[in-house]
Amino acid sequence: QPPNCLRRVRQSLLQPLDAEDPRLPVAGHLTELRRRLLVCALAVLLTSGLGFWLADWLLAWLKRPAGYLLPTLAFFSPTEGLVAYLTVAVAFGLVAALPVLLYQLWAFVRPALTWRERTYGVAFVWWGSLCFVLGAEVGYGVLLPFFLKFLLSVGSPHLAPVISVNQYLSFVLGVILLCGAVFELPVVVFLLSRMGLVSAQMLRRHRPLAMLILLIVAAIVTPTTDAISLFLLALPLALLYELSALIAAGSTPRRSRPPQPPHTPARPT
């Protein structure tokens, strides 16, 4: 027989609370949240274990955008190599477990939604995962080669880059994960528009302020100071905002759209 603690964990995973009951007390919601977090932690732990097994291949894949400009990576403490492998494993675990994380998030907020809004759960998980992968691919295949080529060629041939593996991973993973998170904007706008919280008119009305904020974010995130790098990061953000406005225009429920004035036919003279 399994120990009592393992039996309680198994029962909490296999027998969820009646989260559909709107009269669920605060303690019940906290218990449900703890159960969802436990499932997320287990999913990330399992996928991180797989990532640690693939750490050599993942590290070589992450180093590929630097090309010949960075032949090797260095580490300057006895534990830095292990920390680098753990960082790669956890990053892989978070990305690989993203469908589970998105589903657990949806399952937790689902009781607060209407019956029509609850039908978007599969689309939320599918499109959320797909958009994140597309954003990560843009960061890895488009932005990183340009950034690294520019940064690593500064001072050549008088300076040779000797970069810590953890510093390199922090930079590369930051760009990839940030691009993946930014590409979630259309999915978030779609869900908010279906709930009636965001409309296309609202997005268009605040477009100048939104573009200014996106430009400031791009300037802060861009690791270089040239205008080309700023343009490469600001352009996808602006396109995503416009795409989100189009998605909101097509997905806003009719009940939340502004009413149109009634048409009165002209009287014959």
Side-chain angles (χ1 to χ4, degrees):
Q1 295 293 333
N4 292 332
C5 60
L6 296 179
R7 189 182 303 113
R8 287 196 298 268
V9 170
R10 184 179 62 182
Q11 290 176 353
S12 63
L13 292 176
L14 298 180
Q15 297 178 2
L17 295 173
D18 187 10
E20 304 295 332
D21 187 1
R23 298 168 298 178
L24 193 66
V26 176
H29 287 294
L30 293 178
T31 303
E32 180 71 9
L33 176 61
R34 182 180 61 182
R35 190 180 71 86
R36 299 294 178 186
L37 292 177
L38 179 60
V39 174
C40 293
L42 290 176
V44 173
L45 182 62
L46 293 176
T47 52
S48 297
L50 177 61
F52 190 81
W53 183 62
L54 299 172
D56 287 328
W57 180 83
L58 292 173
L59 192 59
W61 181 75
L62 291 172
K63 184 179 169 297
R64 192 177 302 167
Y68 67 94
L69 296 173
L70 192 62
T72 58
L73 295 172
F75 63 93
F76 303 101
S77 67
T79 60
E80 190 171 357
L82 177 61
V83 172
Y85 272 64
L86 292 177
T87 301
V88 171
V90 173
F92 174 83
L94 289 173
V95 175
L98 184 61
V100 178
L101 303 182
L102 293 176
Y103 175 77
Q104 295 301 320
L105 173 63
W106 178 267
F108 181 73
V109 302
R110 185 174 180 270
L113 306 177
T114 63
W115 67 270
R116 183 182 296 273
E117 294 164 351
R118 295 176 186 179
T119 59
Y120 302 122
V122 176
F124 173 72
V125 175
W126 168 255
W127 286 107
S129 303
L130 180 61
C131 289
F132 186 91
V133 171
L134 289 177
E137 181 60 29
V138 169
Y140 177 83
V142 178
L143 298 181
L144 273 179
F146 182 84
F147 291 160
L148 292 174
K149 183 179 180 180
F150 175 82
L151 294 173
L152 295 177
S153 61
V154 173
S156 178
H158 305 288
L159 300 177
V162 180
I163 301 177
S164 167
V165 61
N166 283 331
Q167 292 179 346
Y168 179 82
L169 290 177
S170 177
F171 176 79
V172 171
L173 292 176
V175 173
I176 293 175
L177 297 179
L178 177 63
C179 291
V182 168
F183 270 65
E184 298 285 351
L185 181 62
V187 179
V188 174
V189 170
F190 172 78
L191 293 175
L192 294 179
S193 62
R194 294 301 303 181
M195 297 176 188
L197 301 177
V198 173
S199 64
Q201 291 78 10
M202 180 191 304
L203 295 177
R204 295 191 183 103
R205 185 169 62 250
H206 297 288
R207 179 185 287 115
L209 178 60
M211 292 300 172
L212 177 61
I213 295 175
L214 293 178
L215 186 62
I216 294 174
V217 171
I220 294 175
V221 174
T222 303
T224 60
T225 57
D226 60 296
I228 298 179
S229 300
L230 179 62
F231 175 77
L232 287 177
L233 189 58
L235 181 61
L237 295 178
L239 294 178
L240 284 174
Y241 187 85
E242 295 299 331
L243 177 61
S244 301
L246 294 176
I247 292 175
S251 59
T252 303
R254 295 186 179 275
R255 66 176 184 273
S256 61
R257 293 176 181 172
Q260 300 294 331
H263 175 69
T264 55
R267 295 180 179 179
T269 56

